[in-house]
Each structure stands twice: as C-alpha cells, then as structure tokens.
Amino acid sequence: MDNNILLGKKHIHFIGIGGSGMYPLAQILHSQGYFITGSDNNETETLDAVRKMGIEVFIGQRAENISGADLIVHTAAIMEDNPELMAARASGVPVLERADLLGVITSRYENAVCVSGTHGKTTATSMITQILYTAGIDLSAYIGGKLPCIGGSGLAGKSDILVCESCEFEDHYLKLSPDISVILNIDADHLDYFGSLENIIASFRKFASNTSKLLIVNGSDANTMKAVEGLDKRIITFGSDSSCNYYPENIRHENGLLTTFDAMHNGEKLGCITLNVAGIHNVLNALAAIAATLELGTDFASIQKGLEEFRGAKRRFEKLGCVNGITFVDDYAHHPTELEAALRAAMEMNFRKVWAVFQPFTFSRTKLLLDDFARVLTIPDCAVLTDIMGSREKNTYGIFTRHLAEKIGDCIWFPQDETAEWTDERKYANFTQICDYICENAQEGDLVITLGCGDAYKIAKMIMTKLSKEEN
C-alpha cells in the first residue's frame, strides 16, 4: 500500500461510514482538514455523531453518492455487487478497503501504539486510551468497541500519539505501521483463514517484525514468546510472575467487580492499582497498559487514576443492570479462551447461581473448537445455548447447537429445525424461548451473563424488560 496516497486528496467518501471501524477513521481525517462524506443503509447513533461533525451522510447506497470524491473507502462487509462500490471501481478514483486506510493513517504518527492479541484487544486498547485521555494527552484512538469516556470508538487529537486496536483477522494488522506493538496473547482462532496455530504464530511474528521501536509482550504466554524469539527488537514483558518485567502481586477480588493488585516492575513496587473490571485477564491487560503508557511518558499517579476510572468498554463484562435481585452482565467473548476468562471471573463473585447464555458465532469456529467450547461451558452453574449465528458463513460444516449441547451434557437448549432457513423471526423465537425459561427459573442473587460477539445481549434486555413488567 502506498502510504502517500492521501497526499493531494481533498474529498474522501466512506461507503458504510457508520461502521465501528469506519467512524474513527472519518473522525481523524476530518480533524486533519479533509472533506468527508459517507453513506450507510440504516440510521444509528454513530451516524448522529458523524453528522454532528458536519459530515454529510447519505442513507442508501447509490452510485451518485461518490460524486466529487478523489478517494473512496469501503468496509470489508460491502459486497462486490453493491452499486456504490461498483460505481467507485468504475470511476478511476482510488478505492481502499478500511484496513488499508488504517495502515496509511498509522504511518502518519510518530508514536502509533498498535494493540494486538487473540483476546483482550478492545479492553487493553481502551485502558491505554483512558489512561492517556485522563492524563490530558491529546491523543488519537481507534478502538473496536465504544469507550464511554471518549463517547465512542474513536478520538481525533493533535499529538503524535495514536492508540490503535490491531486485528489479526485475515492478516489485517500486517498493513499497519506500528511504532510500539503490544501482543497480549496468541491462541488458535480464525482457523478457517490461518489453518493452524503455527501459521497464526508466524503471522504475529511478521507483525512484531514490522514494529519500529518497542515490543510489549506477554512473557507468560508461550505462543507469544515463540513469535518474538530471536527478533532484533527492544522487548518489554508483562505477565503473571516475576520472570516478567511487569507483574502483579497481592491480587484481591472485592465487592463483585472490584480488583486490586500491586503493580511490580523488575522487583520494585510501583503502587497499588484498583480496577473496576473483573478477572485475572484484566489484571494482565492493565499491566500491558501500564507498560505502554509509562513508555509514552505518563506518570504513575495518572496511570492509577485512569485505570481506576476505567469501567470497561461496551460489551466487555459490561453490567447491564439488576432486576428483582438478578444481576445482568454482557460480554463479547466468542472464543473458548475468552469464555473461560469471563466465566471464571463470574464464578469468583459469590452469586447464588451463574447462568451463562452463549450464542455460538460462525459455523467454522464452532466446529473447529467444539471440544474446547464444551469444556469451558461446564464452568457456570447453568449453560444456556442459542442457535449458531452463522454471520458471513453458510453451514457447510453440518454443525448445529445440538452437537455442542450433547458434549456439554447438562445444559439448556431448544431443539431447532435444522432444515429451516436462518431468519430474524427464527432467531427471535429462539431468544424468546430462552427469555421465558430464565424468567421462570432465575432467582434473587443470581447472575445472568450473555456471551458472544453477535447479538446475545438482546436476550438479557428481553429478560430484564419482562421481569420489570412482572415486578410492576
């Protein structure tokens, strides 16, 4: 990709500007003086935020929307037969996929902090952003989820610092130009693309090799250390014990979601950290954020303040509310390792009973990691399974919820017509069955946690609404 492609450009048009990955790019380029327009198919809160910046948005994707643009950007979700994309390709104007533009933008910052890893990217990116933002740093940010303190998924600042969530999906992060790279962990995922864990490790090694200044890596994760072994790079480690540069001591879980620990650096105590997010995985995310922000010159008192004020990104162990004495939490976890972290954190909180409502996401992941999903879904008191959300895939794998349920054994699921076409009506009927079951069986003192990167959170909201009506 030509990193100079923005030179001389004035009008940039975004096809799918309401996407979580497009909005921050539009923010950053708008702040740099480019004239931005965009289109999308549905009105959303994000489009309201885009319009408040003075950006014109077209609803509906039509060929005429690209008029006047000298650079056109689209998301990977836009189909090749989309009339607006077809017109863009025929116009002779340069056309970029979102990941390509992100790569170009990272090359324009002196301190592009690129946060990678199979799990925890959004949380760690959000923690780093919150620390710097709270400390008064005028940074730019690109996050895969919404961070309340900045009011969305992106931030456009005037400093030379960009904090960027960097996704390994289809090697997208290899298009970036990282100055400081964080590798949180490496695990088997996206196997439909990578094929094997070894290929994933090799991909992360390329990402690490592209880093110009510093690698901050999980020294307690064998796959991560294998990926960076022998690289001629400056490397700082964080992890679970004193074999790493940064590590925790005296971890304490208090009052539900509250966690405290002493942050240690090379044997010396930096100070006590208070986190309002649960789980040992978030202690490690915080250590990565501490290492990164100290390298950027942030004082430790500001780091403590930023982490204490951090309440999580949207859909990352997010507390939705409490109805009839039942607590509701939602988490984006969609891989066995993420599920295990979220569920073990939930089980540490001394609820009467933990109900885990899991929506499997993509047929390939469910099929390839079936045994691991079954193993971790025995952790909660009761696992409740939805239909599999196929997303971008067709079910060529012949995998259904019953296969997962049979391996778990003691769980709740509702048999589906495996020959029926996937529709919103079918999904809603399945959600309603789950809602009714939990409303009838959950009790005061219970935790209901919805899990998955699809729309399982809607089930929690359905349950809360039904219970609230019954309460009144």
Side-chain angles (χ1 to χ4, degrees):
M1 175 54 57
D2 178 8
N3 285 337
N4 295 315
I5 196 168
L6 290 171
L7 296 179
K9 302 297 188 294
K10 296 179 179 179
H11 177 181
I12 303 173
H13 180 76
F14 286 75
I15 306 175
I17 197 168
S20 61
M22 295 283 266
Y23 169 59
L25 299 180
Q27 272 185 297
I28 291 169
L29 292 176
H30 176 73
S31 74
Q32 294 176 353
Y34 293 93
F35 177 68
I36 307 294
T37 58
S39 68
D40 220 308
N41 283 324
N42 301 295
E43 293 286 358
T44 61
E45 291 181 5
T46 302
L47 291 190
D48 291 339
V50 170
R51 290 192 179 101
K52 285 178 182 176
M53 289 190 287
I55 294 174
E56 183 178 11
V57 178
F58 306 102
I59 295 299
Q61 290 169 340
R62 299 176 294 273
E64 57 266 28
N65 292 345
I66 68 168
S67 178
D70 48 20
L71 180 66
I72 299 166
V73 185
H74 67 95
T75 68
I78 301 295
M79 304 300 287
E80 287 297 321
D81 60 355
N82 179 286
E84 199 164 320
L85 182 57
M86 290 173 66
R89 295 209 189 286
S91 69
V93 170
V95 179
L96 296 182
E97 200 272 316
R98 175 203 57 82
D100 293 309
L101 178 61
L102 179 59
V104 172
I105 288 176
T106 59
S107 72
R108 306 181 109 196
Y109 287 81
E110 288 297 316
N111 287 294
V113 182
C114 294
V115 182
S116 72
T118 310
H119 319 293
K121 292 184 290 292
T122 298
T123 296
T125 307
S126 296
M127 284 179 170
I128 295 169
T129 300
Q130 177 109 31
I131 291 167
L132 297 174
Y133 182 81
T134 303
I137 305 300
D138 192 19
L139 76 153
S140 299
Y142 178 95
I143 309 173
K146 292 183 179 179
L147 178 61
C149 77
I150 64 172
S153 58
L155 190 64
K158 295 182 173 59
S159 74
D160 65 356
I161 297 174
L162 168 68
V163 182
C164 175
E165 182 170 338
S166 309
C167 187
E168 76 277 10
F169 177 69
E170 294 187 351
D171 283 326
H172 284 174
Y173 61 172
L174 299 185
K175 299 176 180 181
L176 308 182
S177 296
D179 298 297
I180 298 173
S181 289
V182 177
I183 304 179
L184 299 168
N185 44 64
I186 300 175
D187 204 348
D189 198 11
H190 305 301
L191 292 174
D192 53 325
Y193 173 78
F194 287 109
S196 69
L197 176 59
E198 288 304 312
N199 288 339
I200 298 171
I201 293 171
S203 173
F204 272 92
R205 187 173 182 83
K206 290 177 186 175
F207 172 72
S209 299
N210 291 341
T211 304
S212 65
K213 296 179 181 178
L214 171 66
L215 295 173
I216 299 172
V217 303
N218 187 343
S220 298
D221 182 67
N223 292 335
T224 298
M225 295 310 292
K226 184 176 181 180
V228 301
E229 183 180 6
L231 290 181
D232 185 19
K233 301 285 180 182
R234 182 176 168 229
I235 297 176
I236 289 174
T237 59
F238 65 92
S240 57
D241 58 48
S242 59
S243 65
C244 301
N245 300 120
Y246 291 88
Y247 58 96
E249 286 188 350
N250 301 319
I251 299 172
R252 300 169 295 281
H253 301 292
E254 305 169 9
N255 301 324
L257 297 181
L258 186 68
T259 301
T260 62
F261 68 94
D262 295 332
M264 306 295 293
H265 179 233
N266 293 335
E268 295 186 6
K269 179 180 172 180
L270 297 174
C272 182
I273 295 293
T274 299
L275 294 178
N276 286 283
V277 288
I280 187 65
H281 59 295
N282 279 320
V283 171
L284 295 180
N285 288 334
L287 288 168
I290 291 167
T293 50
L294 283 173
E295 284 295 319
L296 291 169
T298 313
D299 64 274
F300 191 74
S302 295
I303 292 172
Q304 288 174 303
K305 185 172 188 291
L307 286 174
E308 185 168 1
E309 292 182 6
F310 178 71
R311 292 297 189 277
K314 287 287 186 181
R315 303 214 59 212
R316 272 67 181 181
F317 219 93
E318 177 187 6
K319 185 176 179 180
L320 301 177
C322 188
V323 183
N324 291 1
I326 303 169
T327 301
F328 293 86
V329 166
D330 178 63
D331 196 278
Y332 193 73
H334 56 282
H335 181 281
T337 303
E338 297 164 353
L339 282 174
E340 182 170 10
L343 291 172
R344 292 203 183 282
M347 294 297 287
E348 290 174 355
M349 293 178 184
N350 297 317
F351 286 97
R352 191 195 75 88
K353 187 173 185 177
V354 173
W355 299 79
V357 182
F358 175 56
Q359 181 185 49
F361 188 79
T362 72
F363 302 112
S364 60
R365 182 183 284 116
T366 307
K367 175 73 172 181
L368 294 168
L369 301 176
L370 188 66
D371 288 343
D372 289 329
F373 277 122
R375 174 180 56 80
V376 300
L377 285 166
T378 63
I379 293 171
D381 298 299
C382 184
V384 184
L385 308 178
T386 76
D387 287 352
I388 299 171
M389 186 173 184
S391 184
R392 58 187 177 268
E393 296 179 342
K394 293 188 181 297
N395 193 3
T396 57
Y397 298 85
I399 186 77
F400 298 96
T401 299
R402 67 176 168 87
H403 295 113
L404 180 56
E406 288 164 359
K407 282 189 171 289
I408 297 169
D410 187 15
C411 66
I412 303 299
W413 67 288
F414 296 91
Q416 57 186 295
D417 179 357
E418 295 177 356
T419 64
E421 181 183 357
W422 175 270
T423 63
D424 285 341
E425 290 77 14
R426 171 181 157 182
K427 178 175 67 173
Y428 180 74
N430 183 229
F431 283 10
T432 300
Q433 288 174 306
I434 293 170
C435 170
D436 291 346
Y437 184 88
I438 292 179
C439 284
E440 291 168 9
N441 291 279
Q443 299 178 30
E444 182 177 348
D446 288 356
L447 170 69
V448 176
I449 178 170
T450 48
L451 300 140
C453 64
D455 56 358
Y457 64 90
K458 293 178 180 176
I459 301 173
K461 294 184 177 180
M462 290 168 68
I463 299 168
M464 293 170 71
T465 299
K466 183 172 182 178
L467 289 177
S468 295
K469 289 178 180 177
E470 292 174 356
E471 187 178 27
N472 297 326

